[in-house]
Amino acid sequence: MALPQFRKQLLSVKSRELDDLVEAYALAAEALERLNMQVPQQPDRLAEYRTICASIQAEVLRLLGESNGAARDA
């Protein structure tokens, strides 16, 4: 996942939802990489998968924020 500044936090949070998002991101990133290598390129599909990857990253950040809030409240 392209969030190196959150690596430690990603490894410490135990969440089925986070695990599912990381798996979904890996699949989407692989598809994006394959699409980037295709000739001719498919700009619409590339944009779609870039959006998917960005959305998954945003959701991961939301979950990490919730995790931090829960830890502070404990």
Side-chain angles (χ1 to χ4, degrees):
M1 174 137 329
L3 297 169
Q5 67 275 30
F6 295 98
R7 182 181 179 89
K8 199 176 212 180
Q9 202 175 351
L10 284 167
L11 293 172
S12 69
V13 173
K14 304 295 180 220
S15 162
R16 177 69 181 164
E17 188 176 4
L18 182 60
D19 292 345
D20 290 345
L21 286 169
V22 170
E23 183 177 345
Y25 181 86
L27 293 171
E30 284 178 23
L32 180 58
E33 188 174 322
R34 283 193 306 274
L35 287 168
N36 269 319
M37 291 188 280
Q38 285 184 349
V39 176
Q41 288 199 337
Q42 301 174 44
D44 292 342
R45 296 276 307 225
L46 284 167
E48 177 184 1
Y49 275 88
R50 283 186 186 110
T51 300
I52 290 168
C53 287
S55 295
I56 294 170
Q57 285 182 347
E59 185 64 15
V60 166
L61 291 174
R62 184 191 65 78
L63 282 176
L64 290 177
E66 286 179 3
S67 157
N68 280 343
R72 280 192 303 265
D73 293 343

